[in-house]
Amino acid sequence: AFCVATKRKYRGGGLLTVWRRARPTSKSVWLAVVAFAIAWSAGARVAVAADVQAREALDADRLEWSVLPVVAGNSDLGVIFGGFFVLAGFEPGYEPYRWRAENVLVASVKPGPHGADWPLQVLRTKWDLPGLLAGRLRLEATLGLARFAHEPWYGVGNASPIQAPAPDSPGDPARYHQYGKREASLRLIGRLPLPHDLEAVVGVEVRAFQPQPFPGSLLSQHLAAADAGGYALYGTSTFVDLVPTVGMLYDTRDHETVPMAGMRHALALRGGLGVPRGSGVLWAGLTLDARFYVPLAAPWLALAVRALIDQMWGQPPWDELRGGGAFDPISLPGGMSAVRGVPAGRYAGPIKAL
């Protein structure tokens, strides 16, 4: 690689001998580095691919697991810690695996006015079972328990400003734009393969929700009035939301978890009914989620492009206004699964687009 970069004939010897003969300039050194990197990456790619294929061919019926620590932090949540555990079983004839279980346990701690404060506690387990009914059904089941103590609330709409509490307002001024909540959810999603890379999707989610507004906070005022600046709020106390979902999925990605090429488009219609009926929750939602993947330097680098619009009608729960999504609800429009840099829950409204 060095001789090619310096346009010199290789006459034998190691790198040090070639270096002395060539008397390289800084430009030739950089060219040699680039040439070596290209040669090394190409060789490593072939070697890794061959090793993976050989291992999978010898052990097609296998069990794979991975454990990853979760360590993060910010000024709102403090020190975030936990773990991510994945277990998957593989058998011949099942793609991409026979079954897969994801388990996440995360909590956070930070100093509070009265000792340690625990803003975040999340436990989630998700089971994915493809290949049921002789390959005619793929079932996903997700169970989640969560407690959030510092969720943001600024009102409804993209013109919801940061407001200062009144001087005589009760409660902690630092919690004026925050609230707490507890929730438990069970979600079942069934996917039925169709011709031409299409899938029919049906599902249902049962979600129990309990808001915990801080005294004197903006949300406590909005919930007491069941109104946020002219927008009526529903589900202002503890309730259970029953949400059925139907939709279509078009998926041509070359890999489910690390795609380099292809598309994944989802169109989903969902509706919700609150229990007890005194919660006033009765709503419908439509989501269009389009994703494109273009290889730039496969298998190392791809360009991903995403467009999403989520529309709600009727009387959705006020907390639902902070999220959306087709088959796996996420925070919208901000958050780690949507627009990074915009805090999750910063904006709320019946229409979200990104």
Side-chain angles (χ1 to χ4, degrees), residues 1-205:
F2 185 82
C3 289
V4 169
T6 55
K7 298 181 180 180
R8 292 181 179 274
K9 185 178 179 180
Y10 178 65
R11 297 188 176 90
L15 179 60
L16 184 59
T17 303
V18 175
W19 181 283
R20 288 171 178 167
R21 291 174 181 169
R23 296 177 182 177
T25 63
S26 59
K27 179 180 178 181
S28 64
V29 171
W30 281 112
L31 289 173
V33 170
V34 172
F36 177 77
I38 293 174
W40 179 86
S41 62
R45 175 184 173 186
V46 173
V48 169
D51 178 71
V52 170
Q53 291 176 359
R55 178 174 58 84
E56 293 185 351
L58 291 173
D59 191 16
D61 190 355
R62 66 191 189 280
L63 188 68
E64 292 187 0
W65 61 273
S66 60
V67 179
L68 296 173
V70 175
V71 181
N74 58 50
S75 58
D76 293 326
L77 299 178
V79 179
I80 305 170
F81 61 93
F84 184 80
F85 176 64
V86 179
L87 188 65
F90 296 82
E91 289 184 20
Y94 292 92
E95 292 292 338
Y97 35 71
R98 182 65 180 88
W99 57 268
R100 185 174 188 265
E102 294 180 9
N103 301 279
V104 182
L105 177 61
V106 176
S108 71
V109 62
K110 63 178 294 187
H114 306 292
D117 194 5
W118 299 84
L120 172 68
Q121 298 162 41
V122 175
L123 171 63
R124 190 188 74 166
T125 180
K126 178 180 179 180
W127 286 78
D128 187 3
L129 304 170
L132 298 178
L133 300 180
R136 294 189 295 271
L137 174 65
R138 180 172 184 173
L139 181 65
E140 298 176 359
T142 305
L143 175 65
L145 301 172
R147 174 185 174 272
F148 302 91
H150 293 170
E151 290 292 276
W153 177 259
Y154 296 87
V156 178
N158 61 334
S160 50
I162 298 177
Q163 306 175 28
D168 57 348
S169 176
D172 185 357
R175 300 289 179 89
Y176 184 71
H177 284 293
Q178 295 179 345
Y179 70 96
K181 68 176 182 178
R182 298 174 185 267
E183 62 181 32
S185 63
L186 173 63
R187 183 168 62 253
L188 299 175
I189 296 292
R191 296 165 55 178
L192 308 172
L194 301 173
H196 308 296
D197 298 311
L198 290 170
E199 291 183 68
V201 184
V202 294
V204 63
E205 181 181 22

